Amino acid sequence: PTPAPTPVPAWQSSCPSCVSTATASDAASLRSALTVNNAVIDLQADIIISEQRVSAGTGYGILFVQGGITATIFSSTGRKVVSGQGEFPCFQVSDSTLFIYDLTVANCKGWGGGAGAMYIAADSRTSVTAHGLHVKSNIATPSSTAGVGVFGAAFTCIGCVFEDNVAEQAASALQCITCTLSLEGALFTGSSYTDDRGSFYGNSYFKASFSNVHFAAGEKLHFSFHGSHYVTMTCPAGTAPFPAGCCYAEGFEDEADNCELSGVQAALAQYAFDSELLPVPTPMPTPVPTPMPTPVPTPMPTPMPTRAPTPPPTPAPTPAPIPAPTLAPTPAPTP
């Protein structure tokens, strides 16, 4: 009989300890949940952003975490996407702490000096820690950041991908101004920009810790000192599966050399990214044990027929002795 197909394992969040206190299935419910201190929000659907906050000529994300609270976003039902539809900024975090798991923030738009995917400001009380974050296809107007902008705050990204972000006259993927930054297992690829701030920009006051961070071929890193350009580096080309680019295996310095990608790939492998570059890993099927073949009994060899013992030859009968002929007595002569 044909064996039954092996069931695909259920989704496993990268936050196995998360226990939800609220669920969200649209922008309004997520926005509301993010106002509650210590909220653990389970996303049940992709989120579409269709409005924004505007202050002093800057656009800010409607998903606003503020007021000194702590909040967590995860999903028990698979990776979710927050989309700005190419028109609106998505997240803002101010004076609060946000934890994010297995989330894609895509097609958000930074404008007016803000940031598209996520604007994190404005002092050391503000921090965002992300696991499995995918910052993808965000855009920005001049002087705004397309992806994540961190200003005077802390940003930690573990197992993260910055892909295909586009900016004009600002950093396209990640900008760090007087911030504290930690990247552990991160990939920068497909960035597009029109000036030297490139895909990653940091000023002289930022503190960075890099571990297994890879910038693909053509990605540009730029660091400045009081606005003066003092390091600009474009990563060299290489080979598949990721171009060799340049990589920080451990620590952070102004210059990076080509390096092995095994550490980056290993760090990203545990997260299911919705990217053609990083396809969702297909779980290995549980091997079906091959049944042992039923042994065919070995026939016993057919015994050779036993020959009956040859009887000894029957002796010929001994002929009876022929009696000697009896002679009649000779008569006496007559006198």
Side-chain angles (χ1 to χ4, degrees), residues 178-298:
T178 318
C179 80
T180 300
L181 175 68
S182 177
L183 299 178
E184 301 176 25
L187 171 66
F188 290 76
T189 184
S191 301
S192 178
Y193 32 80
T194 59
D195 71 5
D196 282 343
R197 275 171 281 193
S199 55
F200 175 87
Y201 172 79
N203 69 0
S204 58
Y205 300 105
F206 82 103
K207 299 177 182 178
S209 171
F210 282 14
S211 175
N212 291 321
V213 178
H214 178 73
F215 295 87
E219 296 292 306
K220 182 178 288 187
L221 290 77
H222 174 77
F223 314 107
S224 71
F225 180 73
H226 293 296
S228 301
H229 299 179
Y230 77 104
V231 173
T232 298
M233 178 178 65
T234 301
C235 298
T239 57
F242 303 140
C246 45
C247 191
Y248 294 90
E250 191 172 331
F252 176 79
E253 299 173 352
D254 289 343
E255 295 183 359
D257 297 323
N258 291 349
C259 65
E260 296 296 327
L261 297 177
S262 57
V264 181
Q265 292 167 317
L268 297 176
Q270 60 184 306
Y271 301 100
F273 285 97
D274 49 352
S275 169
E276 293 180 0
L277 186 67
L278 296 163
V280 176
T282 302
M284 293 296 289
T286 303
V288 177
T290 304
M292 294 295 292
T294 304
V296 177
T298 305

Side-chain angles (χ1 to χ4, degrees), residues 23-27 30 42-48 74-75 77-82 103:
T23 60
S25 56
D26 55 28
L30 178 56
D42 188 350
L43 288 186
Q44 298 294 299
D46 293 339
I47 305 299
I48 304 298
F74 82 109
S75 178
T77 56
R79 172 175 289 274
K80 296 298 183 289
V81 179
V82 172
L103 187 66

